[in-house]
Amino acid sequence: MPTDTRVLLSVRDLHTTFHTDDGDVLAVDGVSFDVRRGEVFAVVGESGSGKSVTAMSILGLLPPETAEITGEGIFWKGENLLEESGERMRNVRGKEIAMIFQDPLSALNPVHTVGKQIGEMLRIHEDATRKEARAKAIELLELVGIPQARKRVDMHPHEFSGGMRQRVMIAMAIACRPDLLIADEPTTALDVTVQAQVLEVLLSIKDEIDSAIMLITHDLGVVAGMADRVMVMYAGKEVELGTVDELFYELRHPYTLGLLNSLPRIDDLGREELQPIKGSPPSLVRRPSGCAFHPRCPMARVPGICNEVIPPLRHVGGLDHRSACHFAEELKGQGLKVPEWEPTPR
Ligand code: SF4
């Protein structure tokens, strides 16, 4: 367990397996990382890479009949959540760690007003009276930038636009001032302008309550503008981890390079076409031998080490820049197509 007092969450060797009729699906395969107070820690990768399952495993939200979670531990301020009871986990969820889901329409209850839903969090976790909860709900709606909060607190989710519903979700998530906010693709369904506003709200709230954000996304543009550190996942494994600058300017994994090259960029308006990563993510039931990325990797030595030996995650530079590629060093200074725009100064 880390001794850094800023570390809130420390995940060590996390494995999440789904038992299905087709066989065991190892959705998260030995992932380890820390999230520190005050930072935005981004988790990126394509669909099915294990990002959301990692978050659901941390919060104990997966059905125990089908999902088995094992590992050294999920240490929350030193307490191993893997060993905690259902009751303790219900307390952690919402009050200490809150999650903002991708689709607010399915996460919000259509039959209750938003004020009631936000207030419910305070009544459950903070013993607030009905009157106190309503007053606090109005305050929270104002905090996330919803105009006419006094009036809108009595409205139902379908009366809000997509961007406003996402703000309501954020208001619910921060109601109990959690130390960690897990935001799972919080802006996917929003247009670019609203997306920027919602991300701005998230950042200002993080600073105001001195919390941390674990941001799950497939959008490297969002990562560049918001994150401090980034973990790249592929086929349930951590393939690269580093600061946002390391990931954009000194990347050490071909998959990270592939993600960057498939990103539309403002400086590339004249470019003919994007360069998507060829092929599709592998089956997690029958994963490729050796490095799971080898069937799609332009640098793969096959037959050879790449399809024979699983590359270990190893230190490749900086304070804690890690990569799981046998040939990580070959990516050094090879004229990578890194973005020319700067990540937003933090
Ligand atoms: Fe590509 Fe081989 Fe590195 Fe895997 S280990 S990313 S296949 S070069």
Side-chain angles (χ1 to χ4, degrees):
M1 228 184 353
T3 48
D4 182 347
T5 52
R6 298 287 292 173
V7 172
L8 287 170
L9 177 72
S10 183
V11 173
R12 288 290 171 269
D13 198 26
L14 177 70
H15 291 77
T16 304
T17 308
F18 292 101
H19 303 297
T20 73
D21 293 343
D22 292 333
D24 284 355
V25 176
L26 190 48
V28 179
D29 186 6
V31 164
S32 298
F33 61 91
D34 295 334
V35 181
R36 303 187 184 103
R37 190 181 287 283
E39 78 170 347
V40 177
F41 181 79
V43 184
V44 299
E46 295 163 292
S47 297
S49 58
K51 314 181 297 283
S52 297
V53 177
T54 300
M56 306 279 266
S57 304
I58 291 167
L59 284 169
L61 286 172
L62 296 169
E65 324 73 73
T66 51
E68 187 181 344
I69 304 172
T70 55
E72 190 184 322
I74 297 172
F75 299 98
W76 172 242
K77 298 180 185 172
E79 170 188 10
N80 190 355
L81 298 183
L82 280 183
E83 293 167 358
E84 291 303 338
S85 65
E87 194 187 337
R88 171 69 186 124
M89 287 308 295
R90 275 190 289 282
N91 252 318
V92 170
R93 280 195 295 268
K95 186 167 169 57
E96 299 178 36
I97 306 176
M99 186 144 177
I100 300 167
F101 293 93
Q102 186 172 354
D103 177 8
L105 204 50
S106 57
L108 291 168
N109 188 329
V111 302
H112 295 303
T113 65
V114 300
K116 181 163 186 207
Q117 295 182 62
I118 297 170
E120 199 66 14
M121 300 292 297
L122 295 155
R123 286 169 60 76
I124 292 171
H125 292 297
E126 316 239 304
D127 264 350
T129 63
R130 211 175 285 275
K131 198 172 161 196
E132 287 167 342
R134 182 183 157 81
K136 185 75 185 163
I138 294 170
E139 209 178 284
L140 286 161
L141 289 177
E142 280 168 352
L143 184 65
V144 297
I146 292 192
Q148 298 179 287
R150 264 173 210 291
K151 188 171 149 207
R152 295 193 182 222
V153 74
D154 295 319
M155 291 165 76
H156 291 81
H158 71 270
E159 297 174 271
F160 288 73
S161 67
M164 288 293 162
R165 277 197 292 266
Q166 195 57 279
R167 286 170 192 242
V168 170
M169 282 287 299
I170 296 174
M172 267 175 81
I174 61 169
C176 300
R177 301 176 76 85
D179 285 319
L180 175 64
L181 270 174
I182 300 180
D184 189 357
E185 305 275 11
T187 55
T188 303
L190 307 177
D191 68 51
V192 182
T193 315
V194 180
Q195 174 174 320
Q197 290 166 354
V198 168
L199 294 176
E200 199 49 51
V201 168
L202 271 176
L203 279 181
S204 67
I205 283 164
K206 171 187 77 71
D207 292 339
E208 181 169 328
I209 64 180
D210 193 24
S211 57
I213 296 176
M214 182 172 158
L215 175 71
I216 296 169
T217 182
H218 64 275
D219 187 339
L220 283 182
V222 170
V223 170
M226 200 168 161
D228 297 294
R229 292 189 305 125
V230 190
M231 175 169 81
V232 183
M233 289 187 75
Y234 186 79
K237 278 187 179 293
E238 188 175 0
V239 295
E240 185 161 10
L241 186 142
T243 64
V244 72
D245 281 357
E246 284 164 344
L247 263 287
F248 280 97
Y249 301 113
E250 297 171 48
L251 60 90
R252 293 286 181 268
H253 199 284
Y255 180 58
T256 312
L257 177 60
L259 290 176
L260 274 185
N261 284 343
S262 50
L263 177 72
R265 283 166 25 205
I266 207 137
D267 56 302
D268 271 343
L269 289 178
R271 191 165 68 183
E272 296 277 305
E273 55 191 49
L274 303 177
Q275 297 167 21
I277 303 170
K278 67 171 188 174
S280 35
S283 155
L284 295 181
V285 179
R286 283 169 287 280
R287 66 173 62 227
S289 60
C291 173
F293 188 53
H294 84 254
R296 306 173 73 190
C297 179
M299 280 173 52
R301 270 65 155 185
V302 177
I305 188 171
C306 289
N307 67 324
E308 287 167 6
V309 181
I310 297 175
L313 190 69
R314 61 192 170 86
H315 183 258
V316 289
L319 261 185
D320 190 24
H321 186 184
R322 291 182 263 164
S323 166
C325 171
H326 294 305
F327 303 103
E329 284 71 16
E330 290 190 9
L331 287 159
K332 216 179 262 182
Q334 290 195 3
L336 308 176
K337 293 179 181 174
V338 292
E340 284 165 16
W341 31 259
E342 293 287 330
T344 310
R346 303 294 308 284

